[in-house]
Amino acid sequence: MERNRTSVYQHRSSHRHRPSLEPVIALTKITGLAFRYSALVGGALLDQVGNYTRRYLAGQTCAIISDSNVAPTYADCIRKSLVSAGFRSILITIPAGETSKTLRQVGAICDRMIAAGLDRRSFVIGLGGGMIGDISGFVAAIYHRGIPHIQIPTTLLAMVDSSIGGKTGVDTRDGKNLIGAFHQPSLVIDDLDVLKTLRRRQFNQGFAEIIKHAVIADPKMFRSLQSWEARAASALQWLIKRNIEIKSRIVAKDERDRTGQRALLNFGHTVGHAIERAGSYRKFLHGEAVSLGIVAACAISVKRAALRPDQRAAIVDLLARFGLPTRLPQNFPRRKILDTVKFDKKFESGKIRFVVTPRIGVAYLTDDVTLEDIREAVEQL
Ligand SMILES: NC(=O)c1ccc[n+]([C@@H]2O[C@H](COP(=O)([O-])OP(=O)(O)OC[C@H]3O[C@@H](n4cnc5c(N)ncnc54)[C@H](O)[C@@H]3O)[C@@H](O)[C@H]2O)c1
Ligand SMILES: [Zn+2]
């Protein structure tokens, strides 16, 4: 294995052999909800995709949408599995990277699907990180006014965050995710084996969202992360399952992001998004910017929500433990961060809706936070 790649846990069997980790279902049929789907988390699942799909979907044809980094390694195995389960598939590979997440690309993908004869009984499989999850989900949302979507996330961030919750979409010239639709997947398949080829920086950024989930909703998971040594596949399986449960439970209360419940998931994101933008989306990965945003949100929480300084320190330590940034470089254009926050839509009428934490495991939205508080927190970063 190359040095800059990471074996994220000690798990040696290949996905050609019998399942090494029995899949666990992270969420299933929560009654009373608009959406019902299952997330399978386990090892060696890719060559079982056909079988699992058969259990959940009736269609016969599908488009696998993937990117130029992921498809060469993983698409073949899935295609073979689909064939042996009696499905016909086409593979559509788009260039890796956020710049592919556009309406133009959506149009090109839909054209290919039409040309291949896919119809309203077909379905879409998104195989890749969050970029692919978002664009393939959007294609599924609009193709023939909506066809089923299977998510096969291949980054840790996509497994614990973007594949759950049904937000799909693309970027425009003016900003990220400005066009999109809510479209819940029919099935999510998390094969832990694919994480072995993920670069370490990409792997670590997933922990920013995991730590966010712990801070807003799960003190027990926070404590487990503090002593996170175990790299056994089963530990990672538990962690991913737990994060899916946390996110889906929050989303279930406010699927369309209207009542403020879902907004709790934005903890660390107001400043995080502004940092991403100020760094022209090149300096920091999303999770890294969120890590810095969490540090800022903690400073603000000490001031406005009586978060204990020792708890704040524990959160910052945990982020650092997973290789995430907790300080901005000296020469980073901090003013740009403030400019972006000011124009943030949440700053309507001079007030911002900001997520704070009074103690680890609890979060709430407040409009007590001022721009001055944010300026101070960014200065300290
Ligand atoms: N819908 C949501 O709720 C939601 C939430 C958070 C983020 N997002 C979106 O997710 C995207 C970020 O997700 P991401 O960080 O997964 O980005 P990504 O999909 O761009 O993947 C990051 C990089 O890793 C590569 N890669 C993916 N899987 C790999 C593997 N197994 N082995 C080796 N390389 C692999 C990709 O080709 C890419 O180069 C953004 O577009 C963001 O807007 C959506
Ligand atoms: Zn995020």
Side-chain angles (χ1 to χ4, degrees):
M1 192 162 283
E2 290 171 38
R3 277 203 72 187
N4 62 351
R5 299 204 170 225
T6 175
S7 174
V8 291
Y9 52 85
Q10 287 150 9
H11 173 44
R12 305 196 192 285
S13 70
S14 103
H15 54 255
R16 307 258 166 258
H17 300 115
R18 102 194 134 68
S20 46
L21 250 191
E22 282 303 313
V24 293
I25 297 184
L27 89 165
T28 187
K29 297 185 181 62
I30 308 174
T31 42
L33 288 186
F35 61 91
R36 291 155 178 264
Y37 58 93
S38 301
L40 302 171
V41 186
L45 297 183
L46 290 193
D47 51 14
Q48 299 297 318
V49 165
N51 292 337
Y52 288 122
T53 301
R54 182 59 71 213
R55 286 190 211 163
Y56 288 88
L57 291 180
Q60 298 299 326
T61 53
C62 69
I64 303 167
I65 301 173
S66 190
D67 78 24
S68 51
N69 288 337
V70 176
T73 319
Y74 299 113
D76 232 28
C77 172
I78 293 177
R79 294 196 79 179
K80 282 187 187 133
S81 162
L82 287 166
V83 167
S84 45
F87 294 102
R88 189 168 67 79
S89 68
I90 58 160
L91 173 64
I92 301 175
T93 305
I94 64 176
E98 190 69 17
T99 49
S100 279
K101 220 177 92 175
T102 61
L103 268 185
R104 178 192 280 266
Q105 197 60 259
V106 167
I109 293 170
C110 289
D111 286 344
R112 296 249 339 247
M113 289 169 62
I114 292 164
L118 299 188
D119 60 19
R120 64 193 173 82
R121 290 178 303 273
S122 307
F123 58 93
V124 168
I125 295 179
L127 169 69
M131 185 281 280
I132 284 295
D134 280 9
I135 192 171
S136 65
F138 187 58
V139 166
I142 61 172
Y143 194 75
H144 282 265
R145 299 191 184 83
I147 60 176
H149 183 217
I150 294 181
Q151 291 256 26
I152 307 186
T154 61
T155 63
L156 182 61
L157 182 132
M159 290 182 186
V160 298
D161 189 359
S162 60
S163 63
I164 304 301
K167 282 191 180 176
T168 75
V170 293
D171 306 330
T172 72
R173 200 191 46 198
D174 297 311
K176 282 193 39 146
N177 303 318
L178 292 180
I179 292 176
F182 287 100
H183 191 60
Q184 298 292 346
S186 303
L187 175 63
V188 180
I189 300 175
D190 292 347
D191 186 338
L192 303 181
D193 291 337
V194 304
L195 297 176
K196 289 175 181 170
T197 55
L198 200 60
R199 286 170 192 273
R200 178 163 292 282
R201 217 177 136 194
Q202 290 286 352
F203 183 71
N204 286 350
Q205 70 155 335
F207 277 93
E209 305 289 0
I210 290 172
I211 293 168
K212 175 196 78 179
H213 285 154
V215 172
I216 66 173
D218 192 345
K220 194 163 154 249
M221 183 168 81
F222 190 90
R223 283 192 296 276
S224 323
L225 288 166
Q226 285 178 306
S227 54
W228 183 259
E229 299 292 349
R231 293 208 164 173
S234 57
L236 198 58
Q237 182 182 37
W238 171 82
L239 192 65
I240 292 169
K241 177 175 182 282
R242 186 74 200 114
N243 278 275
I244 294 171
E245 284 162 355
I246 292 168
K247 179 162 182 184
S248 58
R249 212 178 52 219
I250 293 173
V251 171
K253 294 183 193 154
D254 178 20
E255 196 190 348
R256 301 254 152 176
D257 212 357
R258 288 192 181 130
T259 67
Q261 296 271 13
R262 187 167 181 158
L264 298 183
L265 293 164
N266 286 339
F267 181 70
H269 279 61
T270 301
V271 174
H273 282 148
I275 290 174
E276 252 185 308
R277 203 178 162 104
S280 309
Y281 297 99
R282 281 191 296 271
K283 180 84 187 142
F284 295 110
L285 298 176
H286 174 73
E288 294 170 340
V290 166
S291 171
L292 291 157
I294 290 175
V295 175
C298 285
I300 292 167
S301 297
V302 169
K303 188 169 170 193
R304 295 285 173 195
L307 175 70
R308 280 185 2 220
D310 62 317
Q311 292 221 334
R312 167 200 178 171
I315 297 168
V316 175
D317 282 355
L318 192 57
L319 292 164
R321 202 181 139 88
F322 286 95
L324 291 161
T326 55
R327 302 292 304 265
L328 277 171
Q330 274 284 299
N331 57 355
F332 193 84
R334 288 176 164 73
R335 206 172 41 81
K336 275 196 191 168
I337 303 174
L338 259 294
D339 290 344
T340 307
V341 170
K342 265 191 249 174
F343 287 108
D344 195 305
K345 60 183 184 303
K346 292 178 226 88
F347 231 111
E348 282 154 13
S349 65
K351 293 213 157 180
I352 193 160
R353 291 169 73 219
F354 200 92
V355 186
V356 287
T357 174
R359 63 177 184 281
I360 291 166
V362 180
Y364 63 87
L365 259 181
T366 174
D367 48 21
D368 285 347
V369 172
T370 65
L371 189 60
E372 200 41 47
D373 295 337
I374 298 175
R375 191 196 313 277
E376 242 175 50
V378 168
E379 285 307 321
Q380 288 166 19
L381 273 179

